[in-house]
Amino acid sequence: MDDPYVALARASYTAFVNDGTRIKAPNMLPPYLRNERGACFVSLHKDGELRGCIGTLEPTRRSIADEVIQNAISACSRDPRFPPVRPDELPRITCSVDVLGEPEPIEGIDQLDPKKYGVIVSSGWRRGVLLPDLEGVGDAQTQVAIAKRKAGIAPGDHCGLQRFTVVRHV
């Protein structure tokens, strides 16, 4: 049986790609998905390669289910790094949903573990995020460098650091 987070994300992006509709959270979802709020990222992969990833760092919707639905739609249609997903691609798309724990400020890079924690870097209005446990990210320096690049923060510039945990649903 599919994980309920992944099944909801898949139903959301499939309906949107096929006919432009936004599904409603089904009544048969577990109560925690319908009643609790939470931040999440939805990541899409095609043939093992990233195809879209959009998320929120804090809850923006009425429920985690609504958060998953919206982020799945955004991942397939609004990730600026990729063109929108086409219907013919759907059979080759897989997804995961990362539910984020509360971000916590940290004093330095030595408090990061890229396998356990995601990172948020910030400098002024610029902010970059990198989820934990990503292929090719083996140390905290690489993790922060990628997040800084995503935020448009120069490698040598000082930035604030936060870390967060995730529960990954695949």
Side-chain angles (χ1 to χ4, degrees):
M1 184 166 155
D2 277 347
D3 177 285
Y5 291 87
V6 173
L8 180 60
R10 185 180 304 110
S12 300
Y13 70 74
T14 299
F16 190 81
V17 169
N18 281 331
D19 55 22
T21 58
R22 183 184 194 282
I23 67 168
K24 293 185 189 277
N27 288 332
M28 64 186 176
L29 287 175
Y32 58 86
L33 274 169
R34 287 179 299 164
N35 300 328
E36 295 177 17
R37 297 183 75 215
C40 71
F41 274 74
V42 175
S43 301
L44 306 180
H45 289 84
K46 178 180 163 187
D47 301 330
E49 297 293 321
L50 186 65
R51 183 61 178 83
C53 180
I54 298 286
T56 51
L57 296 174
E58 56 192 43
T60 63
R61 304 282 170 177
R62 175 178 70 75
S63 69
I64 188 71
D66 289 335
E67 204 85 25
V68 169
I69 290 167
Q70 184 58 48
N71 291 342
I73 290 170
S74 294
C76 78
S77 64
R78 295 186 191 104
D79 187 326
R81 300 169 291 181
F82 304 98
V85 171
R86 300 179 319 272
D88 65 297
E89 293 179 279
L90 289 173
R92 296 166 54 197
I93 301 277
T94 60
C95 76
S96 61
V97 178
D98 289 304
V99 179
L100 277 62
E102 189 75 28
E104 61 180 347
I106 58 173
E107 297 299 317
I109 203 166
D110 59 317
Q111 293 178 287
L112 286 173
D113 174 349
K115 293 290 181 203
K116 180 177 180 181
Y117 297 109
V119 67
I120 303 167
V121 298
S122 56
S123 178
W125 56 269
R126 296 173 294 176
R127 191 159 72 165
V129 179
L130 201 65
L131 295 171
D133 199 22
L134 297 177
E135 188 176 325
V137 182
D139 59 67
Q141 290 78 13
T142 302
Q143 184 184 36
V144 169
I146 293 169
K148 286 174 96 172
R149 188 169 51 244
K150 288 173 72 175
I153 300 170
D157 287 356
H158 174 74
C159 65
L161 296 173
Q162 292 177 288
R163 69 182 184 186
F164 58 90
T165 58
V166 303
V167 175
R168 182 161 291 153
H169 298 268
V170 292

